[in-house]
């Protein structure tokens, strides 16, 4: 089967005038359909640059990037925008929802920039379906500030899904969330992945990475480790365990 | 087409920030309102001047009698009384484009009726007088050629005279005495108001010029002759023909008359009103431009404030063009809507001022279109710079913006 993502010797050099920063120094990577990958690394390791490259937000200085069989490394600004719209979904650490805009309207947004025109009714139906997948259909008319962090992130996930992307890219999606909400959001990712959606997630937490199927470690602009996760965490089980632990903590607290 | 959904996006964005949208629109609202109000007031003033000029009559030429000097005493204009009724008859006969001619004898006299008296202007005229002055009768009828020939003791009176001598209002058929001679009132003129020089045009009694010469003023000649030309284009021709004819009739003597027309007067008066409107309009237009710069400022601030939003939009697939058009449309809607509100406000303002000060105002259609179009244009011009700035943002940088 054709891989969804093929990176061939990707380099990215930031030219800030006097100093040249070599953020990515030759990454070759293949991602198959249905994979769930965590990219790990400390800050400055080049994982964000790698993620921006994967997300067609940034262009590699050299190397080849095939997304769904299309060479996207040489595409222009607007062509990359179309690729992002049609083939990629983004989930950010800070949720990045439009404020004072309802959950539904936020989810509709990528379709408004889509090449194929949809009627207002189709927009609404597809957005509602996406919200339904993340379990927030009932809150479609809420504004972001009326939703909890976890709910906001689920709206963001619904937005990333609405154009049926090839790859879902998540940049520290649990970075602003507490443990329990993090597990819930990871549960949504696992469910989506079970349905066949390819997910690439950047994180620097090992616990979070263990929910994925494959872990990459990036250091100094190179992939230094690439392994399958052996005893993978399953969100439903972890959630139960977390609840038990909380109950136990409460009980002991009361006893004491 | 994605423009439609871009419109949709822009409208959503504006609706999300109502306060900011209102404040941005305010500059344009005030600018357009000022333009509309000033133009309508200026236009009203012009219309008033034009109405006053029109009240003098259309295409009217007046021939004024010359003056005389007697033993060092100079009579002043029209004093010589060198125009005769025959001159008027000759003009009517010889010059085909002089479609109406009225010999005129002016006098002031004390008049009596109903036990009341009043000093007024008694003018002797021909039957064409009302036609020349574009003056209608409110009641009754004008005296006839027959009355002129028979030196009839008949008259028509102006509204002021009716008010002063016939408080009951019913004057037609009654008799008034001019220098103790009874005159029957045949008709009452419609009110014409004050003329350009502030004189009450309704304070008048009009009698046949023959009656004035024989019974009232006892003059043997005319003060002036009023002539109406068939069209404005014929004015110069008719004026020249009259001069030639009267000169010929005087067989080589010094011309003892002057021929004038009212076009110069009308032009001067209208030009003044136009100048005022233009001047005030420029001031208003400047305020509109200032309002436009206000829109640009707020849009620029808005671009900075909404950097992250722009980043989100770019990251999920917006083209440069989508962002640029969104901001342009936002600016256009703001200034267009501001323009529409401004038009309404300006119209209200001019109506209010007209009501309070008793001015005439009229809002010309072009000023409404200019106000709306101008403000939309300002939206495009002053929206373009912030819009293109927004569209050039780097999505990664924009997303990182706090």
């Amino acid at each position: 089967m054709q891989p969804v993502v093929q990176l061939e010797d990707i380099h990215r050099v930031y030219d800030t005038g006097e100093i040249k920063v070599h953020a990515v120094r030759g990454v070759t990577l293949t991602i198959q359909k249905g994979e769930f990958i965590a990219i790990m690394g400390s800050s400055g390791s080049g994982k964000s640059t790698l993620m921006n490259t994967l997300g067609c937000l940034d262009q590699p200085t050299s190397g080849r990037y095939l997304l769904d069989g299309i060479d996207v490394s040489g595409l222009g600004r607007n062509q990359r925008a179309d690729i992002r719209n049609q083939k990629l979904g983004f989930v950010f650490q800070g949720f990045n929802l439009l404020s004072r805009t309802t959950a539904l309207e936020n989810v509709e947004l990528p379709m408004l920039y889509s090449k194929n025109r949809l009627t207002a009714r189709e927009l609404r139906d597809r957005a509602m379906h996406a919200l339904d997948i993340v379990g927030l259909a009932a809150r479609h008319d809420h504004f972001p500030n009326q939703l909890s962090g976890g709910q906001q992130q689920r709206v963001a996930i619904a937005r990333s899904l609405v154009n049926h992307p090839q790859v879902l890219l998540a940049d520290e999606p649990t970075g602003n969330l507490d443990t329990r909400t993090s597990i819930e959001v990871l549960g949504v990712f696992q469910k989506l992945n079970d349905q066949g959606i390819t997910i690439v997630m950047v994180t620097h937490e090992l616990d979070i990475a263990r929910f994925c199927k494959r872990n990459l470690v990036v250091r100094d602009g190179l992939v230094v480790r690439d392994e399958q996760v052996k005893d993978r965490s399953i969100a439903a089980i972890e959630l139960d365990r977390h609840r038990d632990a909380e109950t136990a903590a409460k009980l002991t607290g009361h006893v004491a | 087409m994605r423009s439609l959904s871009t419109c949709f996006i822009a409208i959503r964005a504006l609706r999300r920030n109502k306060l900011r949208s209102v404040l941005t629109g305010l500059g344009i609202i005030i600018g357009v309102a000022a333009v509309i109000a000033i133009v309508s007031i200026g236009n009203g003033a012009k219309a008033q001047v034009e109405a006053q000029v029109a009240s003098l009559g259309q295409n009217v030429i007046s021939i004024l009698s010359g003056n005389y000097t007697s033993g060092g005493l100079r009579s002043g204009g029209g004093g010589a009384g060198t125009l005769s009724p025959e001159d008027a008859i000759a003009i009517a006969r010889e010059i085909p484009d002089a479609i109406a001619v009225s010999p005129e004898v002016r006098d002031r006299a004390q008049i009596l009726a109903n036990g009341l008296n009043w000093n007024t202007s008694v003018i002797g005229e021909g039957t064409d007088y009302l036609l020349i002055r574009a003056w209608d009768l409110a009641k009754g009828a004008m005296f006839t050629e027959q009355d002129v020939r028979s030196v009839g003791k008949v008259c028509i009176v102006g509204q002021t005279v009716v008010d002063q001598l016939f408080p009951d209002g019913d004057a037609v058929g009654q008799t008034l005495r001019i220098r103790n001679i009874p005159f029957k009132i045949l008709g009452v003129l419609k009110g014409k108001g004050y003329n350009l020089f502030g004189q009450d045009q309704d304070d008048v009694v009009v009698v046949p010029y023959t009656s004035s010469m024989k019974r009232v003023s006892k003059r043997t000649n005319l003060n002036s002759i009023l002539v109406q030309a068939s069209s404005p284009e014929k004015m110069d021709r008719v004026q020249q023909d009259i001069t030639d004819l009267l000169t010929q009739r005087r067989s080589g003597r010094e011309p003892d008359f002057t021929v004038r027309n009212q076009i110069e007067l009308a032009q001067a008066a209208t030009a003044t009103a136009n100048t005022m409107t233009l001047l005030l309009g420029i001031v208003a237009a400047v305020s509109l431009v200032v309002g436009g710069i206000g829109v640009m400022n707020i849009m620029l601030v808005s671009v900075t404030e909404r950097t992250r939003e722009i980043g989100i939009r770019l990251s999920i697939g917006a083209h440069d063009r989508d962002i640029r058009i969104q901001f342009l449309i936002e600016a256009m809607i703001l200034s267009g809507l501001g323009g529409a509100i401004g038009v309404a406000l300006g119209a209200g303002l001019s109506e209010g001022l007209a009501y309070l000060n008793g001015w005439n105002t009229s809002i010309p259609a072009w000023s409404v279109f200019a106000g709306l179009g101008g403000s939309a244009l300002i939206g495009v011009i002053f929206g373009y710079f912030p819009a293109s700035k927004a569209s050039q943002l780097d999505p990664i940088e924009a997303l990182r913006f706090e």
Side-chain angles (χ1 to χ4, degrees):
Chain A
M1 200 170 70
Q2 184 189 14
V4 180
V5 170
Q6 264 181 294
L7 296 182
E8 287 169 18
D9 196 27
I10 294 289
H11 287 262
R12 180 68 174 101
V13 183
Y14 290 107
D15 196 350
T16 55
E18 288 173 21
I19 319 150
K20 285 195 169 138
V21 181
H22 222 116
V24 176
R25 311 165 174 257
V27 170
T28 300
L29 181 66
T30 303
I31 300 171
Q32 299 292 341
K33 194 165 164 51
E35 284 203 82
F36 188 3
I37 299 176
I39 299 178
M40 295 172 60
S42 54
S43 59
S45 61
K47 66 178 190 301
S48 289
T49 307
L50 188 58
M51 196 64 172
N52 288 337
T53 308
L54 281 171
C56 286
L57 289 166
D58 198 8
Q59 266 185 311
T61 313
S62 69
R64 223 156 76 98
Y65 175 16
L66 297 179
L67 176 64
D68 198 25
I70 302 162
D71 188 353
V72 295
S73 33
L75 294 182
R77 203 173 140 94
N78 289 334
Q79 287 167 309
R80 278 185 284 134
D82 286 337
I83 294 286
R84 290 197 295 271
N85 185 260
Q86 295 302 312
K87 297 197 179 295
L88 299 169
F90 291 90
V91 178
F92 304 96
Q93 179 176 1
F95 320 134
N96 277 342
L97 298 176
L98 294 188
S99 56
R100 279 166 287 182
T101 305
T102 63
L104 186 72
E105 286 181 345
N106 262 299
V107 178
E108 283 178 357
L109 206 57
M111 293 186 284
L112 295 179
Y113 292 114
S114 177
K115 267 183 180 158
N116 31 347
R117 293 269 309 126
L118 297 168
T119 63
R121 172 147 202 96
E122 286 171 315
L123 282 181
R124 199 189 141 84
D125 288 348
R126 276 176 65 173
M128 279 305 280
H129 179 67
L131 278 172
D132 197 34
I133 292 173
V134 299
L136 279 177
R139 293 179 182 258
H140 68 90
D141 57 347
H142 283 49
F143 293 105
N145 57 2
Q146 296 169 318
L147 298 169
S148 71
Q151 287 169 334
Q152 287 188 52
Q153 195 58 299
R154 273 146 68 192
V155 173
I157 294 169
R159 180 179 65 189
S160 72
L161 289 174
V162 81
N163 268 348
H164 310 303
Q166 294 291 319
V167 185
L168 206 159
L169 299 165
D171 193 355
E172 306 241 15
T174 59
N176 287 9
L177 302 173
D178 61 30
T179 313
R180 203 170 74 83
T181 322
S182 295
I183 299 169
E184 279 170 9
V185 167
L186 288 166
V188 175
F189 280 131
Q190 284 189 333
K191 198 176 91 185
L192 293 171
N193 183 241
D194 290 343
Q195 287 161 11
I197 293 172
T198 314
I199 301 171
V200 179
M201 185 169 84
V202 164
T203 183
H204 57 259
E205 287 176 83
L206 198 59
D207 295 350
I208 300 296
R210 284 187 54 222
F211 285 83
C212 303
K213 289 176 179 167
R214 181 181 168 192
N215 283 2
L216 298 179
V217 178
V218 180
R219 191 180 298 145
D220 297 332
L222 285 168
V223 177
V224 292
R225 202 153 45 148
D226 181 355
E227 58 188 18
Q228 298 296 321
V229 177
K230 295 213 177 65
D231 49 347
R232 191 177 166 215
S233 303
I234 302 300
I237 299 167
E238 291 302 316
L239 213 54
D240 283 344
R241 190 175 295 164
H242 182 74
R243 199 175 300 131
D244 292 346
E246 270 191 341
T247 319
K250 255 186 213 160
L251 279 175
T252 48
H254 278 296
V255 169
Chain B
M1 274 305 285
R2 3 196 328 162
S3 336
L4 201 71
S5 54
T6 313
C7 278
F8 189 50
I9 288 165
I11 291 166
R12 274 187 181 180
L14 284 178
R15 231 180 29 201
R16 273 205 304 278
N17 291 293
K18 290 195 186 72
L19 181 67
R20 189 180 65 205
S21 306
V22 169
L23 288 176
T24 313
L26 204 58
I28 297 287
I29 291 175
I30 291 170
V32 171
V35 169
I36 297 284
I38 286 167
V39 167
S40 76
I41 290 168
N43 214 48
K46 204 170 94 182
Q48 201 165 5
V49 168
E50 277 166 358
Q52 281 175 338
V53 168
S55 81
L56 296 171
Q58 293 284 305
N59 316 327
V60 177
I61 298 166
S62 19
I63 304 132
L64 303 173
S65 177
N67 47 45
Y68 70 94
T69 308
S70 166
L73 185 74
R74 303 175 72 197
S75 71
T82 50
L83 291 170
S84 64
E86 289 71 34
D87 286 330
I89 293 163
I91 290 167
R93 195 180 53 224
E94 310 271 327
I95 302 169
D97 284 318
I99 54 169
V101 179
S102 178
E104 189 173 65
V105 184
R106 281 193 299 275
D107 192 17
R108 285 199 79 84
Q110 205 72 21
I111 57 174
L112 287 139
N114 267 342
L116 297 164
N117 70 89
W118 183 249
N119 189 281
T120 187
S121 165
V122 178
I123 55 172
E125 294 285 351
T127 49
D128 284 343
Y129 180 62
L130 298 190
L131 183 72
I132 296 168
R133 294 289 312 273
W135 207 345
D136 289 331
L137 286 161
K139 265 185 249 167
M142 181 60 174
F143 51 76
T144 61
E145 255 337 298
Q146 174 62 37
D147 293 317
V148 173
R149 271 199 302 273
S150 65
V151 199
K153 292 191 273 186
V154 291
C155 67
I156 53 173
V157 294
Q159 207 66 55
T160 306
V161 172
V162 176
D163 294 343
Q164 293 298 333
L165 296 185
F166 304 96
D168 299 339
D170 192 20
V172 177
Q174 308 249 36
T175 303
L176 62 75
R177 301 171 87 83
I178 308 172
R179 297 224 170 95
N180 232 4
I181 304 158
F183 277 77
K184 192 181 178 202
I185 300 172
L186 296 180
V188 175
L189 290 159
K190 278 190 177 162
K192 226 178 192 348
Y194 293 87
N195 70 7
L196 281 173
F197 317 104
Q199 290 162 341
D200 181 4
Q201 302 181 84
D202 298 322
D203 190 6
V204 72
V205 175
V206 183
V207 299
Y209 72 94
T210 50
S211 309
S212 175
M213 292 168 82
K214 298 262 166 55
R215 300 182 195 279
V216 185
S217 66
K218 306 274 173 61
R219 285 175 66 119
T220 55
N221 43 46
L222 307 175
N223 289 92
S224 52
I225 301 169
L226 294 178
V227 176
Q228 184 173 36
S230 53
S231 68
E233 296 75 43
K234 295 270 170 62
M235 292 282 277
D236 286 342
R237 179 78 244 144
V238 171
Q239 210 171 332
Q240 189 55 48
D241 286 350
I242 291 170
T243 309
D244 292 347
L245 178 68
L246 294 185
T247 307
Q248 186 201 330
R249 282 176 58 81
R250 274 145 187 76
S251 53
R253 273 186 288 133
E254 276 292 295
D256 51 7
F257 58 89
T258 36
V259 182
R260 293 228 186 99
N261 71 55
Q262 280 160 356
I263 284 183
E264 293 106 337
L265 178 68
Q267 281 169 342
T270 318
T272 310
N274 275 342
T275 309
M276 283 305 286
T277 308
L278 184 70
L279 199 69
L280 292 170
I282 288 170
V283 173
V286 167
S287 75
L288 195 58
V289 171
V290 172
I293 293 170
V295 169
M296 178 162 77
N297 278 338
I298 305 257
M299 291 309 286
L300 274 173
V301 171
S302 171
V303 166
T304 313
E305 186 193 272
R306 290 158 71 187
T307 302
R308 190 181 262 268
E309 175 194 327
I310 296 163
I312 296 169
R313 292 181 185 279
L314 288 170
S315 74
I316 60 174
H319 288 193
D320 303 358
R321 204 171 144 265
D322 297 323
I323 301 293
R324 193 166 58 234
I325 289 175
Q326 178 192 336
F327 275 80
L328 259 183
I329 290 175
E330 281 186 31
M332 274 175 74
I333 290 176
L334 279 181
S335 19
L337 216 61
I341 297 170
V343 166
L345 192 71
L349 207 67
S350 76
E351 288 300 313
L353 281 173
Y355 179 75
L356 286 177
N357 297 320
W359 294 344
N360 264 335
T361 60
S362 76
I363 301 160
W366 67 263
S367 75
V368 175
F369 288 120
L372 288 176
S375 54
L377 195 69
I378 278 173
V380 175
I381 293 168
F382 290 103
Y384 188 81
F385 175 56
S388 62
K389 190 174 173 241
S391 71
Q392 293 309 314
L393 286 174
D394 176 39
I396 301 170
E397 295 287 329
L399 278 172
R400 221 175 273 155
F401 186 83
E402 290 298 331

